[in-house]
Amino acid sequence: MSEEPPSPSVRQVELLEAAYRYALEHGLADLSLRPLAAAIGSSPRVLIYLFGSKDGLVKALLARARVDELAVLGSLGEAGPPAGLTTAAEQIWLWLREPRHRPLLRLWAEAYTRSLIEPDGAWAGFAASTVTDWLALLAAHQPQPERDTAQGAAVRTAVLAALRGCLLDLLATGDRDRVDAALRHQLGLIENDRSARDLP
Amino acid sequence: MSEEPPSPSVRQVELLEAAYRYALEHGLADLSLRPLAAAIGSSPRVLIYLFGSKDGLVKALLARARVDELAVLGSLGEAGPPAGLTTAAEQIWLWLREPRHRPLLRLWAEAYTRSLIEPDGAWAGFAASTVTDWLALLAAHQPQPERDTAQGAAVRTAVLAALRGCLLDLLATGDRDRVDAALRHQLGLIENDRSARDLP
DNA sequence: AGTTCACTGAAACGACTGTTTCAGTGAACT
DNA sequence: AGTTCACTGAAACAGTCGTTTCAGTGAACT
């Protein structure tokens, strides 16, 4: 309990990275120290030593997943001037639908729903914070007068809902053509409506 | 292993109902026979006897949740003639946003994502089957020429995605006004587009 | 009365859980 | 050379898990 290295060492991030890859494959729900340690060439003893407890390890894994998520937000948000709400949403969707991102998105969905059921512990606040993160990104692509209105919040909420709803469908059915057409239809309607009001 | 009652007895549905209420409160991820049995006034022995195994119990619980889901579908689908796609979606949303349905929807979300990660076992196919169920309901509210086209499938997929995306947001943030406005905005755009094409 | 049979309490089984205790590594620093 | 200290293997701890074994209930049926 008293033993816990203050700063993340080299070995620690190595193991965290290996554990992260393991979690992407097997999920977090049934995560167990002994199988995990065996798979990444470590031992339960070391994991407990480095992360304090299993809860600490799970928190570190969720934080690691969040780093990936924020990296996407950063690459889409800071790369140049605001691109317009629907354009940004399209770029996000291109990233979401990539088959190689599916393990990460499954893990994300698992952490999301788990934090709904078990609001305390390692999962606390995951769902709420991920919603606000993405909403903030979308807000950055809305023009200034609209951005701060309740109407503006509703529009970016709708865009986020379309993205997440389509993602859920895609993860469950894998039916890329249908889901792709659905999102494109949805964004097209929003785009039409916005251009009719002279909003980017 | 050999003992398993063939037909569901009275006692069995009583216990299943009690276990269902327990699962709505505590979720399925950490479900354990001993605490569950203690809470519903039974014993692990009896649960194993009646449901064959814990896996059988979980399957029964998921089937029970599915009964609730199908009941909603039935009440919205068979009640009169097709009401139009967006009207049907609005009615579904009125049901989804009810605070008293939140435990059921949390359980539903948990089973959904879990079946994405662990495609075998008791959860198998839950996500995919729930998608097709709801899509079929929405299809019943589309007019006949459109219903069987790829465009029609895309539109009802978009409607379902909007509903699910808004539901996820609502479960995480509880921000009813914003989410409500988002869904209304989304459905309004679809409605406008459809009436412009003479589709109900 | 005797048998059958659905049902159940108590206790144990082996496997697994996260965590701790103890005993060491081996490299870095004084 | 001696000490410190980050790190780790082996084993055990107490607890929980799903499941099984055994020994019964008590009502229904022959």
Side-chain angles (χ1 to χ4, degrees):
Chain A
M1 185 66 79
S2 63
E3 52 181 352
E4 191 173 355
S7 68
S9 64
V10 178
R11 183 84 180 114
Q12 182 166 3
V13 303
E14 276 181 19
L15 281 179
L16 179 59
E17 218 59 25
Y20 182 51
R21 284 193 296 270
Y22 182 88
L24 285 177
E25 279 185 24
H26 299 82
L28 285 175
D30 294 333
L31 191 67
S32 184
L33 289 185
R34 263 170 270 247
L36 165 64
I40 66 178
S42 181
S43 71
R45 177 69 185 84
V46 171
L47 292 175
I48 293 273
Y49 171 73
L50 289 178
F51 297 97
S53 64
K54 186 198 173 182
D55 222 59
L57 172 61
V58 172
K59 278 183 188 160
L61 287 171
L62 289 178
R64 177 60 185 82
R66 199 172 162 76
V67 166
D68 271 5
E69 187 191 0
L70 292 177
V72 182
L73 265 63
S75 73
L76 294 174
E78 301 168 2
L85 190 59
T86 55
T87 308
E90 269 172 28
Q91 287 178 333
I92 293 175
W93 175 245
L94 290 181
W95 188 88
L96 289 177
R97 74 173 191 182
E98 283 250 12
R100 74 163 173 274
H101 296 149
R102 217 152 288 182
L104 172 59
L105 294 170
R106 278 202 309 255
L107 191 70
W108 173 86
E110 182 185 7
Y112 192 101
T113 60
R114 181 107 187 197
S115 82
L116 296 179
I117 293 178
E118 201 175 335
D120 303 329
W123 320 78
F126 186 89
S129 62
T130 195
V131 169
T132 55
D133 281 349
W134 287 90
L135 282 181
L137 169 66
L138 293 176
H141 291 272
Q142 288 179 299
Q144 191 44 256
E146 181 203 20
R147 190 186 300 170
D148 297 331
T149 65
Q151 162 81 0
V155 173
R156 60 178 178 264
T157 298
V159 171
L160 180 61
L163 287 169
R164 295 230 162 115
C166 284
L167 173 62
L168 275 190
D169 194 326
L170 183 63
L171 289 177
T173 66
D175 193 345
R176 209 172 103 160
D177 291 341
R178 177 177 53 83
V179 178
D180 217 80
L183 188 94
R184 235 166 271 282
H185 177 73
Q186 193 85 304
L187 291 182
L189 293 182
I190 296 177
E191 172 66 22
N192 277 348
D193 176 61
R194 293 175 72 74
S195 63
R197 308 191 203 202
D198 266 343
L199 291 174
Chain B
M1 186 66 80
S2 61
E3 51 180 351
E4 192 173 351
S7 67
S9 63
V10 178
R11 182 84 180 117
Q12 182 166 1
V13 304
E14 276 181 19
L15 281 179
L16 179 60
E17 217 60 24
Y20 182 52
R21 285 192 296 270
Y22 182 89
L24 284 178
E25 279 185 25
H26 300 83
L28 285 175
D30 295 332
L31 191 67
S32 183
L33 289 186
R34 265 172 267 246
L36 166 64
I40 66 178
S42 181
S43 72
R45 178 67 185 84
V46 171
L47 291 174
I48 292 275
Y49 171 72
L50 289 178
F51 298 98
S53 64
K54 186 199 174 181
D55 222 59
L57 173 61
V58 172
K59 277 183 189 159
L61 286 171
L62 288 177
R64 178 59 184 82
R66 199 172 163 75
V67 166
D68 271 5
E69 187 190 1
L70 292 176
V72 182
L73 265 64
S75 72
L76 294 173
E78 301 169 1
L85 190 58
T86 54
T87 309
E90 268 172 28
Q91 287 178 333
I92 293 175
W93 176 245
L94 290 182
W95 189 89
L96 289 177
R97 74 173 189 181
E98 283 250 10
R100 74 163 173 272
H101 296 149
R102 218 152 286 182
L104 172 59
L105 294 170
R106 279 202 308 254
L107 191 71
W108 173 86
E110 182 184 9
Y112 192 101
T113 60
R114 180 105 186 200
S115 82
L116 298 179
I117 292 179
E118 201 176 338
D120 302 330
W123 320 78
F126 186 90
S129 62
T130 194
V131 169
T132 54
D133 281 349
W134 286 90
L135 282 180
L137 169 65
L138 292 176
H141 291 273
Q142 289 179 299
Q144 193 43 256
E146 180 203 21
R147 189 186 301 172
D148 298 329
T149 65
Q151 163 80 0
V155 172
R156 61 178 175 264
T157 298
V159 171
L160 181 60
L163 287 170
R164 294 231 161 113
C166 285
L167 174 62
L168 276 189
D169 194 325
L170 183 63
L171 289 177
T173 66
D175 194 345
R176 211 172 102 162
D177 291 341
R178 177 177 53 83
V179 178
D180 217 78
L183 187 94
R184 236 167 269 281
H185 177 72
Q186 192 85 303
L187 291 182
L189 293 182
I190 296 177
E191 172 67 22
N192 277 346
D193 176 61
R194 293 175 71 74
S195 62
R197 308 191 202 203
D198 266 344
L199 292 174

